[in-house]
């Protein structure tokens, strides 16, 4: 038996509770992992609270991330005792995820823990930080360099945004941080943001083309905010879009794309191939200040996850929430 957070649904009513689970109830997979640390992401919070139909199979252990050590393996790529990390692949949605002391998954979903990170630090980064790294790599791939102008990051005090701010500033970019929480200005400045922008400035319907402001963007919001970011991009600017915190709709014009040559690059972290995942994690090891990483981390126990999930959706959580699952 092992402890885990289980979401179930009966007669249309969803419940979430921490309880004892049987190892025989674990899903199929070649590798069984003793989970030491997991995280609480926006998607996890939606799943736990039931505010969005993230979970597509019940009962479900949520948690789109986990880090731990291999306990049993039928995959020759992994041996007992190997430290491993998982991000995405539908865990916590259609396959039991990381908010439990044990997980069983296909070996192809795992990557080795990258040096010099500890298991805890890997979850301090988690899918949010790994997604931020994918965004940075996409900006570079499309030719955005620090000398071309500022890069704007929306949702800057959240998980993706905070890591993106820290990485971009270390790489020499001038970062403009967008947040709806002005009380986080000092936190964002400490991460390297040179300008703090009130989210309200970009949340109302704007012009199809606005004054050119930014050479690049990392957007976690979607909706009207993304439309306004696109409208204010400089000529040949690049927007990386990886979230929908402000909605799935996109009330935008084609004007930025056909008149300024703006590129909108979609970033998918869930099904990204292993080589891209490893590239992102290696860049995190290289370009993320490990001292700053500790400023991003809030540590909670598994029993706290349900309450913190609601706080996260209300915008009361900054940085990264790390969940102690079965850590020594």
């Amino acid at each position: 038996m092992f402890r885990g957070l289980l979401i179930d649904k009966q007669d249309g009513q969803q419940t979430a509770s921490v309880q004892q689970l049987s190892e025989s109830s674990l899903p199929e997979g070649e590798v069984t992992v003793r989970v030491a640390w997991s995280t609480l992401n926006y998607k996890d919070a939606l799943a736990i609270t039931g505010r969005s139909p993230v979970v597509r199979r019940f009962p479900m252990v949520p948690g789109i991330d986990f880090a731990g050590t291999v306990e049993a393996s039928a995959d020759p790529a992994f041996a007992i005792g190997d430290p491993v990390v998982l991000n995405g692949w539908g865990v916590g949605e259609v396959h039991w995820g990381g908010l439990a002391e044990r997980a069983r998954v296909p070996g192809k979903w795992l990557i080795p823990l990258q040096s010099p990170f500890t298991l805890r630090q890997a979850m301090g980064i988690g899918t949010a930080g790994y997604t931020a790294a994918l965004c940075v790599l996409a900006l570079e791939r499309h030719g955005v360099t620090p000398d071309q102008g500022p890069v704007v990051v929306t949702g800057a005090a959240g998980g993706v945004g905070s890591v993106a701010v820290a990485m971009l500033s270390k790489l020499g970019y001038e970062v403009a941080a967008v947040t709806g929480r002005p009380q986080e200005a000092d936190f964002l400045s400490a991460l390297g943001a040179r300008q703090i922008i009130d989210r309200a400035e970009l949340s109302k319907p704007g012009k199809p083309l606005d004054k050119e402001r930014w050479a690049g963007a990392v957007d976690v919001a979607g909706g009207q905010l993304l439309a306004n970011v696109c409208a204010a991009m400089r000529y040949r600017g690049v927007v990386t879009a990886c979230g929908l915190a402000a909605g799935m709709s996109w009330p935008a014009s084609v004007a930025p794309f056909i008149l300024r040559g703006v590129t909108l690059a979609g970033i998918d972290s869930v099904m990204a191939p292993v080589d891209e995942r490893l590239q992102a994690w290696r860049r995190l090891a290289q370009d993320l200040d490990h001292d700053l990483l500790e400023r991003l981390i809030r540590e909670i126990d598994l029993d706290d996850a349900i309450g913190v999930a609601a706080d996260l959706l209300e915008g009361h959580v900054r940085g990264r929430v790390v969940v102690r699952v079965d850590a020594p």
Side-chain angles (χ1 to χ4, degrees), residues 144-167:
V144 179
T145 55
D147 62 324
Q148 293 177 347
V151 174
V152 63
V153 178
T154 66
V160 176
S162 57
V163 176
V165 170
M167 284 188 72

Side-chain angles (χ1 to χ4, degrees), residues 38-44 47 54 61-66 86-93 95-99 123 126-128 131 269-270 277 320:
S38 185
T39 66
L40 203 60
N41 297 281
Y42 191 81
K43 185 182 285 187
D44 299 320
V54 169
V61 172
I64 65 173
D65 292 323
F66 64 75
L86 183 142
N87 307 111
W89 295 115
V91 300
E93 301 174 68
H95 191 100
W96 279 21
L99 288 171
M123 288 297 96
T127 284
T131 302
S269 61
V270 177
R277 293 168 182 265
R320 299 283 299 126

